[in-house]
Amino acid sequence: MKKAPIVLAVLAACALVLGALPTLVVAAGVPGVTDNEIKIGGPMLITGPAAVLGTAAADGLAIYWKRFNDQGGVDGRKVTCLLEDDGYNPTRSVAAIKKLIDRDKVFGILTTSGTPQTLQLMPILEKEGVPALSGIVPSFPAIMKTLPNMFTFGMPYGDQIILGLDYFMKEGKGKNLTLGILYQDDAYGKEVKRGMDLAVKKHGLKVAGVETYKRGAVDFSSQALNLKRANPDVVILATITREATAFINEAAKLGWRPTCLGTSAICDEKMFELLGDDIKTLFVVNYIARAWESVPGMQQLRRVFKQYRPDITDIQHYHILGYLNSLIYAEALKRAGKNLTREGWIKAMESIKDFKTGGLAGVINFGPEMHSAKCLGRVFKADLDRKLWVPVTDYSLPSVQ
């Protein structure tokens, strides 16, 4: 996979072409909208500990909008997508969003880079009245009800954990199932723990061990030792790829290979390279399809990637996520019509019902009281022979809503 310079070069090239167009009249005084351009953007983790995820998502965004523009854009306008690197740092994310709003004058925000970053940005977006779709971070149902201009797509991390534990219960573990958890000590980790706590109450489970870590940590030896001593049946991982890898490797050094349950944040084929055979005890939950699946939407995505970025031969989770969220954003742009306004885009998002993506995800529904899309998810396990994540369940909702 080519890194950030390639991604940003694609975006810069698009912006250069659009910048050469003659008219710069803002449509009805709407920021980021002219007669021939719609300017959107967002913070992205191009560098830092999760850069491999961010560059993949950025590629997915760039590829979608390049094809969208080549097909004529929407109502005579092409879309420029500007990404600001925040390095997966909430402070830098705030600086990035302020630049995009104040200097770049974007129409709206398409992506945010992580859970703690998104929570830092919510008050700013609400104050400025800037519409946003959080394209990387799954939903925050309780919070979204109070934010009229922001939308999220994706099964909440807590719901993912409930769905995963529902699976283990159906597989015969019963009420004697004991849990351990390793979670990032921030909003992401606490959302995962929320899901675990709800599942514990629902199923009458027991928690044997709880371990935390600070964002950016690299040493997980003490957490692995403590959880090994607690000896849970399942270890829940509220981690991203690097931290999940570090923990599982540390556990293996202790001769301990526990069954682990992670979120969509680590449902990436890169994990096969990072973990080797130790991936066989890892289960993950995800709400989007895998690149190898033969559904029509994925077949089209593969053709588009081959046309615009033939160098990307290994399509990852975050490639698909960036592409899919762009597709949702574009659907609202189309529905908002020629006289595009921020209020019109919000109403268009609220009008999306039973939206089908050709199997890239389950059916998508938003609404005036549902800015956090209701999503279905599946549980996946590792296929070591093919080095692929394969579903072990059909799409479903968690037992606790």
Side-chain angles (χ1 to χ4, degrees):
M1 180 195 308
K2 295 193 176 181
K3 300 297 182 182
I6 298 298
V7 176
L8 298 180
V10 171
L11 296 173
C14 294
L16 182 62
V17 171
L18 293 168
L21 297 172
T23 177
L24 294 174
V25 179
V26 175
V30 180
V33 180
T34 69
D35 290 344
N36 47 34
E37 180 186 23
I38 303 169
K39 192 185 298 183
I40 63 175
M44 181 58 72
L45 51 162
I46 302 297
T47 60
V52 66
L53 311 182
T55 53
D59 282 336
L61 292 162
I63 290 165
Y64 180 88
W65 293 113
K66 182 66 168 67
R67 178 176 183 269
F68 183 85
N69 290 336
D70 285 351
Q71 292 187 324
V74 56
D75 294 315
R77 298 182 178 111
K78 303 293 180 69
V79 174
T80 300
C81 184
L82 304 174
L83 300 181
E84 288 289 325
D85 180 21
D86 71 1
Y88 198 58
N89 182 304
T91 301
R92 288 178 60 186
S93 195
V94 168
I97 210 77
K98 288 182 176 178
K99 176 184 179 295
L100 288 163
I101 294 172
D102 297 335
R103 290 175 53 187
D104 297 319
K105 307 295 183 184
V106 295
F107 166 76
I109 299 300
L110 170 57
T111 184
T112 55
S113 68
T115 304
Q117 292 80 2
T118 303
L119 293 178
Q120 289 282 338
L121 300 180
M122 283 178 171
I124 300 172
L125 295 170
E126 183 175 22
K127 178 182 177 182
E128 299 292 338
V130 178
L133 171 64
S134 178
I136 300 299
V137 181
S139 306
F140 298 90
I143 298 174
M144 296 307 299
K145 294 177 181 178
T146 64
L147 295 173
N149 60 307
M150 188 167 185
F151 297 79
T152 60
F153 165 72
M155 178 176 280
Y157 289 123
D159 289 10
Q160 293 180 31
I161 295 304
I162 296 168
L163 189 66
L165 292 176
D166 290 344
Y167 165 75
F168 285 123
M169 293 298 294
K170 290 175 183 176
E171 288 298 294
K173 295 290 185 180
K175 291 188 177 182
N176 293 324
L177 186 73
T178 59
L179 306 177
I181 184 171
L182 171 67
Y183 71 92
Q184 189 165 284
D185 190 13
D186 60 12
Y188 165 48
K190 291 171 184 176
E191 164 62 12
V192 172
K193 188 175 182 299
R194 176 192 71 86
M196 182 192 75
D197 291 341
L198 288 172
V200 165
K201 184 177 180 180
K202 167 73 176 180
H203 296 301
L205 307 179
K206 298 177 181 178
V207 179
V210 176
E211 293 292 322
T212 65
Y213 69 93
K214 296 296 183 183
R215 191 184 320 112
V218 295
D219 182 2
F220 290 84
S221 55
S222 64
Q223 291 94 333
L225 181 60
N226 290 340
L227 285 172
K228 181 178 186 293
R229 288 170 175 166
N231 195 31
D233 296 311
V234 177
V235 176
I236 294 168
L237 299 178
T239 60
I240 54 179
T241 54
R242 187 182 71 167
E243 289 79 2
T245 301
F247 170 78
I248 292 172
N249 286 339
E250 286 293 338
K253 290 177 185 177
L254 298 172
W256 183 48
R257 290 175 171 81
T259 297
C260 295
L261 172 64
T263 70
S264 57
I266 60 174
C267 184
D268 196 293
E269 275 66 28
K270 190 74 174 173
M271 296 295 287
F272 286 86
E273 175 185 333
L274 296 172
L275 287 174
D277 286 351
D278 286 336
I279 199 172
K280 63 187 176 184
T281 59
L282 176 60
F283 291 77
V284 293
V285 178
N286 206 343
Y287 51 91
I288 63 174
R290 312 311 301 152
W292 58 265
E293 296 189 74
S294 60
V295 293
M298 193 61 72
Q299 292 175 349
Q300 182 184 60
L301 182 148
R302 290 196 295 264
R303 288 194 296 269
V304 173
F305 270 63
K306 185 175 181 180
Q307 177 182 357
Y308 288 98
R309 288 293 303 277
D311 58 299
I312 300 176
T313 57
D314 185 16
I315 298 174
Q316 302 288 329
H317 168 80
Y318 282 88
H319 287 121
I320 302 166
L321 197 56
Y323 185 96
L324 176 57
N325 279 276
S326 297
L327 185 153
I328 297 169
Y329 200 102
E331 177 66 18
L333 288 177
K334 294 173 185 176
R335 295 184 183 211
K338 180 76 173 177
N339 297 320
L340 179 63
T341 64
R342 287 171 167 174
E343 294 77 11
W345 182 87
I346 291 170
K347 290 186 180 300
M349 281 291 295
E350 292 175 343
S351 75
I352 294 177
K353 307 283 187 189
D354 299 324
F355 181 56
K356 296 179 176 61
T357 62
L360 290 177
V363 175
I364 298 171
N365 289 282
F366 290 98
E369 303 299 323
M370 194 165 62
H371 284 200
S372 184
K374 184 175 288 294
C375 290
L376 305 174
R378 295 181 291 177
V379 180
F380 290 77
K381 69 177 295 186
D383 183 324
L384 283 170
D385 293 333
R386 293 190 292 166
K387 291 183 169 53
L388 297 172
W389 291 109
V390 296
V392 294
T393 69
D394 293 327
Y395 279 109
S396 61
L397 290 170
S399 61
V400 183
Q401 294 289 298

